[in-house]
Amino acid sequence: MTRVIFDLSRLISRVRHSTPSGVDRVEMAYARGLLARLGADDLAFAAVHPSGLYGRLDRGAALAYLDELERRWAQEEGGRGQRSLVSVLPWMKALLPTRKGVGDWPGALYLQVSPHHLTRQDRIAGLLGRERARFVCLVHDLIPIEYPEYARPSGADLHRQRMASVANLADLVIANSVATGASFARWVERGDPLLEAGVTVPPIHAALLGTEPVAAVEPFRFADARPYFLCLGTIEPRKNHLALLHLWRAMAETMEPAAIPRLVIVGRRGWENEQVLDMLDRCPALAPHVEELSGCPDKRLAALLRGARALLMPSFAEGFGMPVAEALSVGTPVVCSDIAAMREVGGDVPDYRDPLDGPGWLAAILDHAGEGPLHQAQRARVPAWRAPSWDAHMDGVLARLEALSPVCA
């Protein structure tokens, strides 16, 4: 039986947050999936604590913390603020790692599914050495490397460090899509000064992430019954929110107010967003038609997803289109960018548009708003779509882990 040491560093680093990112949800899904498949003798939790210490976590404290985070995600509004440092100190203390158990499972697999601390290859190599473990890591995307213009100024260099750590140390790479796996392989094959001499592409297991169940709640409706569209994801340049805001401004200038559908943007404010934030904060034409929610509990998000006329996702680049899967799983149509990661998730169901095709997006939005031919045709396609499942994902990953390490000492 394979023994797994699962890294919870990312979730612990989010101790002050009330609403999750996509990476947070993936780490949680892996924790739950591993707990359902491995017993205490074969699964341990570890972390690089915010204090800088590395070690194993008390199992009871780790499980209680996972429960606490899920409670927050389901019930709290969150908003843009964070919990005070004082209020989370009890969790920081309970989750302080210890040396107990470190190195007791020689041959175990150290599994990490977030980019947390991957910029420190020396640190990862050190903890792997202390654990006498092999390294398995999930790669979410290579967007900061392939599209540095969409990242923070230092984003490309930091992500090169992360991917180099993976390429130099990993015995197996899990990719969240075939598109992401291909991007990682191309980057390693091209070579990079950070790669060690002789490094080749490690084995890659590509598997779509599972679709989280969307709460069975009543679909949201605005009081005036105007249809609305949902845009879900961190507000950052590659998500192309700016294109949607310009389309809504154009509608505000050319259409009667009652005929304009609403746009609901759910996601925290990210980086390099001056134009988008200026439009959200200072454009009076958008105010009656565009609503921004930076913190949204799961039940409210479920209601928004179920009630939306369609999900809009005009991204320039994605590693995995999680919102596409979530929308289709509840029968909500999708209009999204015609890029590989989106097609891998959505198949032939969504209406695909080039992210630069403004007139094409406007026509699709107005058609869906009026429940026109595009809308009706996609509604007819949705029932044939099958959501990627976490059970299938985890079973596939565990099979690869077993093949990689059939017996641990």
Side-chain angles (χ1 to χ4, degrees):
M1 173 62 73
T2 297
R3 282 177 166 171
V4 175
I5 304 164
F6 185 59
D7 188 297
L8 280 179
S9 302
R10 166 74 181 197
L11 288 180
I12 293 175
S13 76
R14 302 280 290 175
V15 67
R16 297 177 63 188
H17 295 259
S18 294
T19 53
S21 69
V23 175
D24 298 340
R25 290 190 183 276
V26 171
E27 192 163 298
M28 179 67 76
Y30 261 78
R32 294 304 190 191
L34 291 169
L35 282 165
R37 289 163 175 79
L38 300 176
D41 291 338
D42 299 308
L43 174 65
F45 294 105
V48 176
H49 192 267
S51 65
L53 295 175
Y54 169 77
R56 299 284 185 89
L57 302 175
D58 176 80
R59 188 180 184 86
L63 296 183
Y65 181 62
L66 295 178
D67 290 342
E68 162 70 8
L69 287 184
E70 288 186 323
R71 183 195 64 78
R72 290 186 199 173
W73 298 353
Q75 298 178 4
E76 298 188 18
E77 290 291 339
R80 294 178 189 168
Q82 296 183 7
R83 280 171 155 72
S84 70
L85 183 58
V86 171
S87 71
V88 301
L89 283 178
W91 282 116
M92 296 284 281
K93 181 179 179 180
L95 295 167
L96 200 65
T98 70
R99 296 181 181 179
K100 184 179 179 180
V102 173
D104 288 353
W105 290 358
L109 299 175
Y110 192 92
L111 176 59
Q112 180 169 334
V113 298
S114 83
H116 199 275
H117 63 257
L118 285 179
T119 55
R120 292 283 308 276
Q121 180 176 321
D122 57 340
R123 171 150 231 177
I124 298 169
L127 69 86
L128 291 174
R130 279 177 286 170
E131 290 283 9
R132 296 187 286 173
R134 288 183 287 173
F135 189 40
V136 178
C137 189
L138 189 151
V139 173
H140 292 263
D141 63 64
L142 277 81
I143 292 170
I145 297 172
E146 296 178 319
Y147 301 93
E149 64 272 24
Y150 298 139
R152 293 182 177 92
S154 61
D157 287 340
L158 289 173
H159 210 56
R160 284 176 54 235
Q161 293 173 30
R162 296 184 189 105
M163 294 302 98
S165 297
V166 176
N168 290 334
L169 298 175
D171 296 276
L172 175 68
V173 172
I174 304 166
N176 61 0
S177 65
V178 171
T180 295
S183 291
F184 178 76
R186 285 195 301 269
W187 181 76
V188 176
E189 289 167 349
R190 283 198 303 268
D192 186 283
L194 295 176
L195 296 177
E196 295 175 357
V199 165
T200 58
V201 179
I204 297 174
H205 173 69
L208 292 179
L209 302 178
T211 307
E212 295 287 344
V214 177
V217 297
E218 285 296 313
F220 177 79
R221 297 285 186 268
F222 281 98
D224 61 7
R226 264 201 290 166
Y228 68 92
F229 291 83
L230 184 65
C231 182
L232 177 59
T234 301
I235 301 174
E236 55 177 298
R238 70 179 174 89
K239 299 288 189 179
N240 201 19
H241 290 82
L242 192 61
L244 295 181
L245 295 179
H246 279 300
L247 290 178
W248 252 262
R249 180 169 183 166
M251 284 189 275
E253 293 173 347
T254 59
M255 296 170 58
E256 291 296 323
I260 300 170
R262 283 189 169 89
L263 174 64
V264 180
I265 297 174
V266 177
R268 64 182 178 84
R269 293 187 173 193
W271 50 90
E272 305 294 322
N273 272 320
E274 184 176 354
Q275 287 182 299
V276 173
L277 302 186
D278 283 346
M279 291 193 73
L280 287 171
D281 293 337
R282 297 166 47 197
C283 181
L286 294 179
H289 312 294
V290 177
E291 181 175 349
E292 177 192 4
L293 300 173
S294 61
C296 190
D298 287 353
K299 287 184 179 179
R300 186 177 183 187
L301 179 57
L304 288 167
L305 268 172
R306 290 180 180 278
R309 191 56 52 88
L311 174 84
L312 304 179
M313 203 166 177
S315 305
F316 290 113
E318 292 286 347
F320 175 75
M322 186 179 290
V324 172
E326 291 173 337
L328 293 178
S329 73
V330 296
T332 297
V334 172
V335 185
C336 62
S337 294
D338 192 1
I339 57 178
M342 300 292 201
R343 284 196 174 270
E344 201 171 330
V345 174
D348 62 0
V349 174
D351 293 313
Y352 295 100
R353 296 291 183 271
D354 188 291
L356 295 175
D357 181 12
W361 277 88
L362 180 59
I365 289 166
L366 292 176
D367 180 280
H368 281 275
E371 298 181 292
L374 275 180
H375 183 81
Q376 297 299 334
Q378 186 171 160
R379 284 281 192 193
R381 295 194 298 269
V382 168
W385 182 83
R386 293 292 177 267
S389 76
W390 274 116
D391 279 343
H393 179 95
M394 293 304 304
D395 288 345
V397 167
L398 263 293
R400 285 301 301 265
L401 298 186
E402 289 285 351
L404 183 65
S405 179
V407 177
C408 289

